[in-house]
Amino acid sequence: MVVQPKVRGFICTTAHPAGCEAAVKQQIDYVKQQGKLDGAKKVLVIGASMGYGLASRISAAFGCGAATLGVIFDKPASGNKTATSGWYNTKAFEKFAAAEGLYAKTVNGDAYSDEVKKEVIDLIKNDLGKVDMVVYSLAAPRRAVGDTVYKSVLKTTGSSYTNKTIDLRNNAISEVTIEPATEEEIEATVKVMGGEDWEAWIDALKVAGALEDNAITVAYSYIGPKITHPMYYEGSIGEAKKDLLKSSRKITENGVKAYISVNKALVTQSSAAIPIVPLYISILYKVMKSKGSHEGCIEQMRRLFGKLYGGEINLDDEGRIRMDDWEMEDDVQAEVQKAWDELDQSNFKQLTDLDGYWKDFYALFGFGIDGVDYDADVDVNV
Ligand code: NAD
């Protein structure tokens, strides 16, 4: 069938198989151009189908020549509904990996569950013996623990916060007020996006003897500028990220070197859902592209792997790797702040790179990728 994008708010309900494949190929080509790394050899990526997790998997496989095992939560096509983009990305990744003789298997299921942990550990024991790197890159709205379902919220803590935002449905600039989360909502957000499940994965792998002695693990975090602090860094999600940092220390104390990498703000399916952040991202893109320092997920992750394997791992005062170093440079942030203060409906096209934002947004679902014939019939059952 001919697949068109169907955008509803900050989500696209269709995905293009050939477009996703071409986008994955572009990331692989980029990593290959950067040259080989003497790094991880057997890598587990939890949250491997999109965004930072997919870029990590590609960096491991095509940068380090690693065997990779991915955990994803995606849907295949059914009837006239396309699969999710993560599904197509994963199929494309597996195809390109196989063509180069690289081991690549994927478990599609709820990474929070004991069943998926067991399935993954059995696969590691059977196929790889042990892994030497675990990437934890989940971005999920909910987590089921027994009969209880915890839902993460994107709210402030303490008091409400009002600032500019963009309505992605009609590009209208308006003010949004984000209400504070309740204690219960903060706890639920920490349950979903904090470090408990990361620790559970590392414990389970260790107990099963599925980790090499020199294994490392990395999880991703975000800090960002002051304008987003009330609803990100100091918000409910920020509480979860602080918990993730605590977990990194516990995991390290228990014998597996655990890193937190603070990554750059980028358009992904998860970040599109956060109020205020998409407007910040579209200004940031404009500023960083003008300075030549803009990166996407793949540039960020290949640079991270370069630091982890062979490069220098500089940690900040809290012990985190700062891949947001270029985003947070003083001159970048000063320009972003100036644009933010001046921005209104009349000038947002000049002050933001909204076209770049939308281009990246559509690309997440395999649309707008160079060289893809979007009028052609494609088989959505990949
Ligand atoms: P994403 O939405 O692009 O990808 C999330 C991945 O998690 C997908 O592969 C999805 O299939 C998987 N997933 C979700 N729920 C799952 C479940 N229950 N079981 C198995 N897999 C599941 O997200 P992203 O933006 O790449 O975020 C990844 C991490 O990077 C998060 O910790 C996020 O906070 C962090 N981060 C993101 C940004 C950003 O701007 N996007 C910046 C810094 C840090």
Side-chain angles (χ1 to χ4, degrees):
M1 69 193 220
V2 173
V3 183
Q4 301 286 348
K6 275 196 200 132
V7 177
R8 308 248 180 286
F10 49 76
I11 186 90
C12 179
T13 58
T14 55
H16 198 283
C20 289
E21 180 172 315
V24 167
K25 174 82 168 44
Q26 283 177 2
Q27 294 197 43
I28 292 172
D29 289 346
Y30 171 80
V31 167
K32 284 183 172 175
Q33 278 160 19
Q34 304 309 302
K36 288 273 170 220
L37 284 168
D38 186 13
K41 290 289 164 259
K42 291 171 284 179
V43 180
L44 168 63
V45 183
I46 302 158
S49 68
M50 286 186 305
Y52 278 119
L54 173 64
S56 306
R57 189 175 196 184
I58 291 172
S59 299
F62 293 92
C64 305
T68 60
L69 182 51
V71 183
I72 66 169
F73 204 39
D74 282 283
K75 284 201 184 112
S78 84
N80 59 359
K81 278 187 83 178
T82 70
T84 55
S85 57
W87 177 275
Y88 293 137
N89 290 340
T90 302
K91 291 292 163 193
F93 173 86
E94 288 175 346
K95 178 177 135 181
F96 292 122
E100 305 212 1
L102 292 168
Y103 174 99
K105 280 192 188 171
T106 308
V107 172
N108 186 22
D110 182 5
Y112 292 113
S113 70
D114 293 341
E115 293 75 25
V116 165
K117 289 186 179 73
K118 188 179 177 313
E119 191 179 340
V120 167
I121 287 168
D122 287 347
L123 258 178
I124 293 174
K125 302 287 279 181
N126 279 331
D127 294 0
L128 305 170
K130 294 171 189 240
V131 291
D132 55 7
M133 182 186 203
V134 180
V135 177
Y136 189 81
S137 187
L138 285 189
R142 65 183 67 81
R143 169 183 174 194
V145 180
D147 290 337
T148 311
V149 177
Y150 296 96
K151 289 188 184 153
S152 70
V153 296
L154 293 159
K155 293 189 179 178
T156 62
T157 55
S159 49
S160 62
Y161 179 62
T162 301
N163 212 326
K164 292 171 191 174
T165 194
I166 187 163
D167 185 338
L168 291 173
R169 286 166 301 189
N170 53 16
N171 289 347
I173 308 292
S174 62
E175 285 216 320
V176 63
T177 297
I178 297 140
E179 297 300 333
T182 62
E183 276 307 313
E184 222 179 5
E185 286 175 323
I186 295 171
E187 276 168 33
T189 307
V190 172
K191 273 273 179 198
V192 181
M193 290 297 288
E196 190 178 65
D197 183 62
W198 184 24
E199 288 183 42
W201 267 102
I202 301 300
D203 279 348
L205 288 159
K206 222 162 50 179
V207 167
L211 285 180
E212 296 283 5
D213 289 343
N214 64 348
I216 65 165
T217 183
V218 59
Y220 301 136
S221 189
Y222 183 65
I223 295 177
K226 285 214 167 67
I227 30 178
T228 64
H229 277 188
M231 49 84 40
Y232 197 99
Y233 194 52
E234 290 156 7
S236 49
I237 181 74
E239 289 300 310
K241 293 298 186 190
K242 281 171 204 143
D243 187 69
L244 199 68
L245 180 63
K246 275 194 215 146
S247 294
S248 72
R249 293 176 183 147
K250 269 198 240 164
I251 294 169
T252 300
E253 276 162 23
N254 291 335
V256 179
K257 182 68 200 153
Y259 294 101
I260 292 290
S261 172
V262 179
N263 298 340
K264 179 193 179 194
L266 280 173
V267 182
T268 65
Q269 223 170 76
S270 307
S271 70
I274 311 176
I276 300 177
V277 167
L279 185 56
Y280 164 73
I281 289 180
S282 59
I283 299 175
L284 181 73
Y285 273 28
K286 173 111 183 169
V287 174
M288 292 188 79
K289 283 180 186 175
S290 77
K291 291 185 182 300
S293 60
H294 177 72
E295 295 174 296
C297 286
I298 196 63
E299 289 84 0
Q300 279 265 298
M301 291 300 95
R302 174 58 181 74
R303 190 154 70 89
L304 172 65
F305 273 66
K307 280 181 193 284
L308 290 173
Y309 297 106
E312 222 179 312
I313 308 174
N314 294 314
L315 302 177
D316 70 7
D317 294 346
E318 298 278 344
R320 302 167 295 201
I321 301 175
R322 299 300 296 268
M323 295 309 300
D324 64 343
D325 45 358
W326 299 349
E327 169 182 357
M328 298 313 290
E329 275 174 1
D330 289 346
D331 59 334
V332 170
Q333 286 303 321
E335 280 187 42
V336 170
Q337 184 66 52
K338 185 166 178 290
W340 185 273
D341 293 340
E342 290 170 4
L343 185 126
D344 59 29
Q345 196 68 48
S346 69
N347 60 16
F348 78 94
K349 286 211 171 107
Q350 291 85 39
L351 295 178
T352 66
D353 177 24
L354 211 54
D355 290 346
Y357 184 95
W358 277 114
K359 191 173 188 313
D360 279 10
F361 180 84
Y362 279 102
L364 294 176
F365 306 94
F367 296 106
I369 309 294
D370 286 346
V372 177
D373 179 0
Y374 289 100
D375 296 323
D377 248 325
V378 280
D379 183 2
V380 295
N381 284 295
V382 178

